[in-house]
Amino acid sequence: MSTSSIESPSAVATSEFDRDTAVTLREPGVYDAELSAGWTIIAAVNGGYLLALLGRALGDHLPHPDPFTISAHYLTPSVPGPAVIRTETVRTGRTLSTGTASLFQYAEDGTEVERIRVLASYGDLDTLTDDVRTTATPPAIPPAGQCFSAADNPDPRIPGSSAIVDRLDLRLDPACVGWAVGAPSGKGEMRAWFDLADGRAHDPLSLLLAVDALPPTSFELGLKGWTPTVELTTHVRRRPAPGPLRVSITTRNLAGGFLEEDAEVWDSADRLVAQSRQLARAPRD
């Protein structure tokens, strides 16, 4: 069992993200966690934060350190408070190991309620070759100083509590903020510079957060309110270089009350370091 992904007390104390995604080994394969209210959107805990929390537990349980692909099904909304994560090894190979993890919280009668179930394959990003053949290009986002942050809007939060806004340093592309002034573009696009507010350096776990941390593309489609994730699959392609990330998210099809979001995350070296696709329920009026 690896213990590299459980932060030391001194490291946890320096980063809000690490502290709030900390897990404590109770017994082999079982971890205790505390879901922080600091990462909520309206009343529910953010899906990217939850993915990073489960990713930390799996990184400790499996023999390989880094998530390569992780797919999560969000079964019931998670709320701030205690949780237990149960992990299981499915297969261990030389370059990849695969495992599952489920996060449970407690009902009023004390019974466990499953919130999320994850299947993931882990490897070692440091062993990847430098051979890159791609047609992908970084998103065209104006310099961060020309983009919009929460401070530029007197009421940047969606209706209800959105505490996650204070945990992040998001600089939104001006072309994607029409929703904030009552003039959505009608395009399913959202782009931003992404950092953590406390300046924590990026790593594979923060990439799991980044793919689901921007305002939903449904805002630019003229819809308001919570856009709950049904399923989210993330591919981590590289360990990010130091510096801010650029995140681009697009939606091409909203139908039957559901929409997809395709995300790309680029690092300061112009490398595509993470990709994701999620299915989400469109906001209900």
Side-chain angles (χ1 to χ4, degrees):
M1 176 185 297
S2 166
T3 58
S4 60
S5 64
I6 295 185
E7 298 292 327
S8 66
S10 60
V12 170
T14 64
S15 165
E16 188 170 29
F17 176 73
D18 289 324
R19 184 190 69 222
D20 291 346
T21 57
V23 295
T24 301
L25 184 64
R26 180 199 299 181
E27 59 187 68
V30 181
Y31 299 84
D32 291 308
E34 184 75 18
L35 305 190
S36 169
W39 303 88
T40 52
I41 297 178
I42 306 181
V45 182
N46 171 259
Y49 161 76
L50 293 168
L51 195 63
L53 181 72
L54 286 156
R56 188 181 294 280
L58 276 169
D60 181 73
H61 178 72
L62 295 171
H64 292 93
D66 302 314
F68 275 32
T69 177
I70 180 166
S71 296
H73 285 261
Y74 295 79
L75 308 177
T76 55
S78 299
V79 296
V84 59
I85 300 171
R86 303 186 185 280
T87 61
E88 180 181 350
T89 300
V90 176
R91 180 185 182 276
T92 297
R94 185 174 61 85
T95 59
L96 290 175
S97 54
T98 300
T100 63
S102 289
L103 184 145
F104 298 86
Q105 290 191 293
Y106 303 97
E108 291 184 1
D109 62 3
T111 58
E112 289 186 347
V113 178
E114 189 172 8
R115 303 297 195 195
I116 310 167
R117 184 175 297 188
V118 160
L119 175 66
S121 290
Y122 273 57
D124 186 346
L125 290 170
D126 292 333
T127 65
L128 297 181
T129 71
D130 293 328
D131 182 21
V132 177
R133 311 177 197 190
T134 182
T135 59
T137 56
I141 305 176
Q146 298 176 21
C147 293
F148 287 87
S149 69
D152 296 317
N153 189 336
D155 186 19
R157 294 167 173 78
I158 58 178
S161 170
S162 194
I164 190 174
V165 170
D166 300 322
R167 315 275 86 75
L168 306 175
D169 182 7
L170 286 181
R171 306 300 175 98
L172 295 170
D173 186 335
C176 303
V177 296
W179 58 272
V181 293
S185 67
K187 299 178 181 179
E189 299 177 353
M190 199 67 63
R191 293 180 296 275
W193 295 91
F194 175 89
D195 262 324
L196 291 163
D198 62 11
R200 178 196 186 273
H202 292 297
D203 66 1
L205 289 182
S206 70
L207 296 179
L208 299 183
L209 169 67
V211 298
D212 192 44
L214 272 59
T217 56
S218 57
F219 284 9
E220 277 295 271
L221 294 174
L223 302 175
K224 297 180 180 179
W226 183 38
T227 308
T229 302
V230 177
E231 186 270 345
L232 172 61
T233 294
T234 302
H235 299 164
V236 177
R237 308 303 301 272
R238 289 284 177 176
R239 197 177 304 281
L245 303 172
R246 284 160 292 171
V247 183
S248 173
I249 304 178
T250 59
T251 290
R252 296 188 301 166
N253 189 53
L254 188 160
F258 292 86
L259 56 89
E260 91 290 342
E261 288 193 336
D262 291 315
E264 292 184 352
V265 183
W266 295 78
D267 70 3
S268 60
D270 284 345
R271 300 182 307 169
L272 182 59
V273 292
Q275 299 165 277
S276 75
R277 165 165 280 202
Q278 73 168 277
L279 180 70
R281 187 183 296 276
R284 297 172 176 173
D285 295 331

